[in-house]
Amino acid sequence: MTELVYHNPSDRTGISPFDRAIREITDDEEVLIACPYISPDYLQEITEQTNEWFLLTDVGEWLSIHGQTNREAIQEFLIEHQDHVRHVTNLHAKVVVGGDRALIGSANFTKKGLTGRTEMSVLLDEQATIDELTEWFETLWSIYDPPEVDRVEAYIESASTTPSPAQNQSGVSFSSGESPGTASLSESQRNAEVVDVEHEENHAKLVQRVSNAPSPEWMYSYFKLVDELLSETGLTDDDLRLLMSIPKAGTLPVTVNNRYVLVAFRGEQSRTEFILPPTKNSEQYIEQADYTGRFDSIYDEDESERPWFVGFDGIPNRIVDEEFREVWMSAVNKEMERAEKAPQRRYHDSVVYRAAQDREYREKVIREAFNLD
């Protein structure tokens, strides 16, 4: 039997169906878990109810999404259970196998992933599929090595104290044994032209603007933030509230109605700015920011209702953990409710939207901007 697992699209309240499925699968079973993004307290709960467990994860990615307290909890977990873990570089699968059932899907094993995102998983109990998943897991287990615990400590000491699922947040890397290599695309896909002829001029402008970024990694991180913003809000290329442009000022902003909600290159080459609400939840980020300011009043706002803009230098999403994302998105959603059309919508440029949403096109832009071909 195959069963789809997902939140009711119109009502996400109640117990998470993903959490329910995971707990049912893992209860008093030998469990195989593969996931790079996990809340350490949730993993502790799940593993304690198993009969035995084994974990595949990407330790660098796992550490990167958490703040200092959780990083130290992960370190303690790995010290205690090193023999039950393998570090698999570039792992992105989310899989749980227990007994005669398995769950495969998109949801990270974090509170946000299990309760707050629009995800989809498949619950399986076909024995042939369970056997194949087990073989896949065991093969990876045999290829890769346990995590280097001393490297975890070095990561924590050298990385920013704020979470960042971005590349190069710490200079510390993790060895995982011999890599099985990288696949290639078919000839027809690899050589396909991904730039529409009618957008060549705008494409060239975008490439030029992207070349201002400190590095390709920085630009990948920024586009990932834009992609997350669009996914969270559901804003589409033809939504009149959305304005993504390549202004002469040299920035690369995302504007919702009258205010930018995310912008690159404003003031400093490596700076990323976010809109935040004028609430207590924003205070810690305002204190940490490299640059802060308040938007002018519009829509008959009181002075106290003006949102903040906060800028952080360095890799764009170094500050973005789950808590920051919730605060940021609350301000974005507020701007979405203010009007039905951005006043400057005529300047919207679809190539910027495409770079955020289309991986192949994004990679082409960055390759050309940094002469990587």
Side-chain angles (χ1 to χ4, degrees), residues 3 5 31 48 67 75 95 128 178 204 220-221 254 271 283 304:
E3 177 184 341
V5 179
V31 174
E48 285 177 355
Q75 180 185 18
V95 178
E178 184 177 353
Y220 277 117
S221 176
V254 180
R271 178 169 296 163
E283 290 179 359
S304 62

Side-chain angles (χ1 to χ4, degrees), residues 57 59-60 62-63 71-87 145-158 172-176:
T57 190
V59 176
W62 189 11
L63 290 167
R71 287 175 182 171
E72 291 172 358
I74 292 168
Q75 180 185 18
E76 293 177 6
F77 184 90
L78 291 175
I79 290 173
E80 183 177 357
H81 303 292
Q82 185 179 17
D83 291 341
H84 284 74
V85 182
R86 291 292 182 269
H87 167 59
D145 296 330
E148 302 168 294
V149 176
D150 58 333
R151 303 293 287 172
V152 175
E153 183 175 0
Y155 181 104
I156 293 173
E157 291 177 352
S158 65
V172 177
S173 59
F174 296 88
S175 172
S176 58

Side-chain angles (χ1 to χ4, degrees), residues 200-213:
E200 282 285 6
E201 183 178 350
N202 292 349
H203 168 75
K205 290 179 181 178
L206 178 59
V207 169
Q208 178 60 39
R209 186 60 46 87
V210 167
S211 70
N212 293 331

Side-chain angles (χ1 to χ4, degrees), residues 183-244:
S184 60
L185 300 176
S186 64
E187 286 293 326
S188 60
Q189 291 185 6
R190 188 171 69 243
N191 295 328
E193 182 57 57
V194 297
V195 180
D196 296 333
V197 173
E198 69 228 42
H199 293 151
E200 282 285 6
E201 183 178 350
N202 292 349
H203 168 75
K205 290 179 181 178
L206 178 59
V207 169
Q208 178 60 39
R209 186 60 46 87
V210 167
S211 70
N212 293 331
S215 67
E217 292 77 16
W218 193 100
M219 206 62 235
Y220 277 117
S221 176
Y222 182 74
F223 276 135
K224 182 178 180 182
L225 274 180
V226 178
D227 184 32
E228 290 176 359
L229 167 64
L230 297 173
S231 297
E232 287 275 352
T233 59
L235 287 166
T236 59
D237 193 31
D238 58 0
D239 194 311
L240 298 181
R241 297 171 295 179
L242 178 66
L243 171 61
M244 301 177 71

Side-chain angles (χ1 to χ4, degrees), residues 47-323:
T47 54
E48 285 177 355
Q49 74 170 32
T50 68
N51 183 37
E52 183 69 283
W53 61 271
F54 302 91
L55 171 67
L56 302 176
T57 190
D58 183 325
V59 176
E61 289 295 307
W62 189 11
L63 290 167
S64 74
I65 68 166
H66 292 290
Q68 188 73 5
T69 300
N70 274 346
R71 287 175 182 171
E72 291 172 358
I74 292 168
Q75 180 185 18
E76 293 177 6
F77 184 90
L78 291 175
I79 290 173
E80 183 177 357
H81 303 292
Q82 185 179 17
D83 291 341
H84 284 74
V85 182
R86 291 292 182 269
H87 167 59
V88 182
T89 303
N90 295 323
L91 178 76
H92 202 255
K94 291 88 176 180
V95 178
V96 181
V97 182
D100 58 0
R101 290 179 295 175
L103 186 74
I104 307 172
S106 63
N108 295 325
F109 301 159
T110 61
K111 181 179 179 182
K112 183 72 171 180
L114 297 172
T115 67
R117 293 187 180 277
T118 302
E119 306 282 2
M120 176 64 72
S121 294
V122 180
L123 185 62
L124 305 163
D125 65 359
E126 291 86 357
Q127 192 58 50
T129 304
I130 301 298
D131 291 344
E132 185 174 357
L133 279 170
T134 301
E135 182 181 1
W136 169 83
F137 188 100
E138 291 176 346
T139 301
L140 287 172
W141 187 270
S142 68
I143 293 173
Y144 291 96
D145 296 330
E148 302 168 294
V149 176
D150 58 333
R151 303 293 287 172
V152 175
E153 183 175 0
Y155 181 104
I156 293 173
E157 291 177 352
S158 65
S160 167
T161 56
T162 53
S164 167
Q167 301 96 326
N168 297 335
Q169 192 232 359
S170 168
V172 177
S173 59
F174 296 88
S175 172
S176 58
E178 184 177 353
S179 169
T182 302
S184 60
L185 300 176
S186 64
E187 286 293 326
S188 60
Q189 291 185 6
R190 188 171 69 243
N191 295 328
E193 182 57 57
V194 297
V195 180
D196 296 333
V197 173
E198 69 228 42
H199 293 151
E200 282 285 6
E201 183 178 350
N202 292 349
H203 168 75
K205 290 179 181 178
L206 178 59
V207 169
Q208 178 60 39
R209 186 60 46 87
V210 167
S211 70
N212 293 331
S215 67
E217 292 77 16
W218 193 100
M219 206 62 235
Y220 277 117
S221 176
Y222 182 74
F223 276 135
K224 182 178 180 182
L225 274 180
V226 178
D227 184 32
E228 290 176 359
L229 167 64
L230 297 173
S231 297
E232 287 275 352
T233 59
L235 287 166
T236 59
D237 193 31
D238 58 0
D239 194 311
L240 298 181
R241 297 171 295 179
L242 178 66
L243 171 61
M244 301 177 71
S245 59
I246 312 172
K248 293 180 179 179
T251 59
L252 195 60
V254 180
T255 300
V256 173
N257 286 319
N258 274 292
R259 285 175 172 144
Y260 70 76
V261 296
L262 179 68
V263 61
F265 313 137
R266 204 171 85 103
E268 297 291 338
Q269 188 181 26
S270 66
R271 178 169 296 163
T272 309
E273 293 186 18
F274 305 80
I275 188 172
L276 292 183
T279 63
K280 187 175 182 61
N281 291 337
S282 298
E283 290 179 359
Q284 61 174 313
Y285 305 113
I286 294 169
E287 292 176 2
Q288 296 173 24
D290 297 300
Y291 178 76
T292 64
R294 301 287 293 272
F295 285 95
D296 293 334
S297 294
I298 54 176
Y299 307 111
D300 298 323
E301 288 173 319
D302 291 337
E303 286 294 307
S304 62
E305 296 177 327
R306 291 184 299 148
W308 287 84
F309 50 87
V310 295
F312 297 91
D313 298 337
I315 206 77
N317 51 4
R318 70 177 177 85
I319 190 67
V320 183
D321 62 357
E322 291 183 13
E323 292 181 4

